[in-house]
Amino acid sequence: MGEIKCVQMTRKFEGEGIDTYALKPITMDFKAGDFVSVIGPSGSGKSTLLSLLGTLDVPTSGDLYFEGVKLSQLNAKELADFRFEKVGFIFQQFHLIPTLTSIENVMAPLFSRKVDYDKKERALSLLARVGLQEKAESLPSQLSGGQQQRVAVARALIHEPEWLLADEPTGNLDSETGEVIFELLRELNQEKGCGVICVTHDPSIAERADVQVRMKDGEIIEVIDMRVTGHA
Ligand code: ADP
Ligand code: MG
């Protein structure tokens, strides 16, 4: 299981005459298997950080390492393979494909990929794990928001990633349903040993992580190991 390390990593967006540093230099280690929450006001750079860590975006300067491999040295194909193997994403808006059933959505990341296991069998067992076995043939429009997010969680796990990156996964759900999703992520983190980096607005969720990262104005202003402070 791999550690993610960023060193003086920045992300600048160029505008008309003004540049925005969405991320000022960030140096931080994300330890394999940790459950990390990222909290901070809107516009503080949380989504930008998550996109960079998941290699959906490229830093303007600085370096990002995964298991000691400098990601800027990989070509596009290597980076796509790396992302496929190591990272699963969960978004606030679920991002399911509306014309596909639950099980097809869960298998979608494997489309055109050769794998040495039965795709359908694994997708079904993941749907069972998130409590949706009986909804395997349902379309997203036939599911509640919480159910759609559970399908998205199963999809993120289909290739057994080392990291689950979640951008406000409970942000579009009522608090009770959000709690179910959070608990599911917590359990999967422990069962499968995958690290989780979870962006949230909700302090009660953030403080139940192993590590809480607080951001403001593109900077990490505080990193709290909740295990040491005794809250977790
Ligand atoms: P958060 O997720 O914490 O709300 P973001 O990472 O989305 O914050 O944004 C951080 C800053 O970067 C904001 O000032 C935002 O306007 C800016 N930003 C983000 N994405 C872009 C983009 N594609 N183009 C220009 N500015 C952007
Ligand atoms: Mg955001």
Side-chain angles (χ1 to χ4, degrees):
M1 291 288 172
E3 172 191 74
I4 307 177
K5 186 184 186 73
C6 34
V7 181
Q8 296 287 99
M9 182 175 76
T10 71
R11 179 64 165 104
K12 182 173 75 170
F13 290 104
E14 298 188 354
E16 287 164 26
I18 359 162
D19 295 341
T20 314
Y21 268 95
L23 278 190
K24 293 167 188 162
I26 298 255
T27 297
M28 165 102 199
D29 287 358
F30 296 87
K31 296 266 186 300
D34 273 4
F35 194 113
V36 181
S37 63
V38 179
I39 193 163
S42 183
S44 57
K46 305 182 297 297
S47 295
T48 303
L49 176 63
L50 209 66
S51 296
L52 291 172
L53 296 176
T55 74
L56 295 175
D57 187 18
V58 178
T60 303
S61 65
D63 292 308
L64 182 59
Y65 300 85
F66 203 104
E67 290 165 358
V69 175
K70 202 178 193 172
L71 294 184
S72 59
Q73 290 171 338
L74 304 185
N75 65 32
K77 163 85 170 73
E78 290 168 330
L79 203 58
D81 286 344
F82 162 86
R83 190 184 307 121
F84 172 73
E85 280 167 29
K86 310 278 188 184
V87 190
F89 294 94
I90 302 163
F91 302 96
Q92 182 174 357
Q93 308 290 346
F94 324 134
H95 289 316
L96 300 180
I97 299 172
T99 53
L100 299 184
T101 62
S102 301
I103 189 159
E104 289 167 345
N105 266 289
V106 173
M107 291 191 294
L110 305 177
F111 181 70
S112 85
R113 293 254 171 197
K114 266 215 178 89
V115 292
D116 57 7
Y117 50 84
D118 184 329
K119 295 178 180 181
K120 202 155 192 179
E121 199 178 317
R122 185 182 284 191
L124 260 183
S125 90
L126 282 167
L127 278 175
R129 174 61 191 86
V130 301
L132 285 179
Q133 202 164 19
E134 76 286 7
K135 300 285 185 190
E137 301 302 332
S138 303
L139 292 169
S141 60
Q142 298 170 309
L143 302 176
S144 68
Q147 289 172 332
Q148 289 184 57
Q149 193 62 303
R150 283 191 274 155
V151 173
V153 169
R155 177 184 57 188
L157 291 167
I158 191 73
H159 46 82
E160 301 191 334
E162 293 181 16
W163 287 93
L164 271 184
L165 304 186
D167 198 348
E168 309 210 22
T170 66
N172 217 22
L173 303 172
D174 63 77
S175 57
E176 204 174 310
T177 310
E179 186 64 27
V180 172
I181 295 294
F182 174 76
E183 280 305 322
L184 180 62
L185 294 179
R186 205 56 178 111
E187 288 165 19
L188 291 165
N189 162 246
Q190 273 155 23
E191 269 167 49
K192 303 194 183 282
C194 58
V196 177
I197 304 178
C198 179
V199 170
T200 180
H201 261 114
D202 184 343
S204 78
I205 282 181
E207 67 192 19
R208 285 182 283 154
D210 296 327
V211 177
Q212 189 182 164
V213 172
R214 305 184 70 86
M215 294 189 70
K216 194 180 172 211
D217 300 332
E219 291 182 283
I220 291 178
I221 54 169
E222 198 176 11
V223 178
I224 312 167
D225 191 323
M226 306 304 282
R227 293 163 294 204
V228 173
T229 53
H231 290 96

